[in-house]
Amino acid sequence: LVSAFGPGLEGGTTGVASEFMVNTCNAGAGALSVTIDGPSKVKMDCQEGPEGYKVSYTPMAPGSYLISIKYGGPQHIVGSPFKAKVSGPRLSGGHNLHETSSVLVETVTKTSAMGGAFTSFPMFSSDASKVVSCGAGLSKAFIGQKNTFTVDCSKAGTNMLMVGVHGPKTPCEEVYVKHMGNRMYNVTYTVKEEGSYILIVKWGDENIPGSPFHVIVS
């Protein structure tokens, strides 16, 4: 279910970064491993994007490079290994015909905005009524400050925490959910306008006790 595309899979020039994308949208979370074998070590960089990961590599010697992309274990993705032809002057390396560079990323589940995302939504067993939340940010918030509260889902089974904050006119500027371990979450949000806000906290599809919360911003 993982695909890769981009000019970097076909070739490039020495000293210049070549890029390709690995789309992990439909494949759930897993370990993404990218290995490049060729006449030089390559400088590799992997950045997360909305539908997967953008990989760039800079080859230092001309020749053929073999790009192996594996996901979730030893299986190559479709089309892997890809063969890229690199041209240009030799900048370094080349004493050895075979240098290997690799990067391993523990990926998170990506869902495509194109829909079809919930066709395989996992069935979790959870009980939102067992979630406990506390903190000043559940009832009062201040403009330009970080407003926080904690949510303890440790006794509520397995699910995903969803937090949304909506103001009198516009959605909240920023909501940041951090998992502290053992299904304890710390939530921070910032607001830009006064008024009465609605704060919704769900464990999976169900509101936790007290949600929706009404928050006064001053």
Side-chain angles (χ1 to χ4, degrees), residues 121-183:
F121 199 73
M123 290 304 291
F124 293 122
S125 103
S126 68
D127 180 355
S129 69
K130 302 271 198 316
V131 174
V132 180
S133 59
C134 64
L138 291 171
S139 55
K140 250 186 121 37
F142 299 95
I143 290 175
Q145 295 185 19
K146 289 202 179 311
N147 304 287
T148 64
F149 60 93
T150 57
V151 185
D152 177 353
C153 305
S154 59
K155 300 186 173 58
T158 303
N159 221 313
M160 291 185 271
L161 185 66
M162 318 280 187
V163 182
V165 184
H166 202 284
K169 296 197 277 296
T170 56
C172 167
E173 194 184 2
E174 179 182 70
V175 182
Y176 181 67
V177 180
K178 180 152 175 64
H179 181 227
M180 314 297 279
N182 191 28
R183 300 203 185 106

Side-chain angles (χ1 to χ4, degrees), residues 34-66:
V34 181
T35 303
I36 301 183
D37 289 311
S40 78
K41 278 274 189 206
V42 298
K43 188 168 130 250
M44 257 161 91
D45 181 48
C46 181
Q47 284 181 332
E48 198 175 329
E51 295 195 339
Y53 295 82
K54 182 171 83 171
V55 180
S56 72
Y57 68 96
T58 307
M60 303 307 278
S64 277
Y65 288 76
L66 212 55

Side-chain angles (χ1 to χ4, degrees), residues 37-122:
D37 289 311
S40 78
K41 278 274 189 206
V42 298
K43 188 168 130 250
M44 257 161 91
D45 181 48
C46 181
Q47 284 181 332
E48 198 175 329
E51 295 195 339
Y53 295 82
K54 182 171 83 171
V55 180
S56 72
Y57 68 96
T58 307
M60 303 307 278
S64 277
Y65 288 76
L66 212 55
I67 302 173
S68 303
I69 304 173
K70 298 177 182 178
Y71 196 75
Q75 284 82 30
H76 284 267
I77 71 164
V78 176
S80 170
F82 298 87
K83 199 167 188 179
K85 281 259 182 267
V86 170
S87 56
R90 179 181 302 286
L91 302 172
S92 75
H95 313 297
N96 187 339
L97 291 174
H98 187 77
E99 293 276 11
T100 299
S101 315
S102 57
V103 62
L104 179 68
V105 185
E106 280 298 336
T107 70
V108 295
T109 302
K110 294 280 180 188
T111 48
S112 166
M114 300 302 287
F118 288 100
T119 47
S120 59
F121 199 73

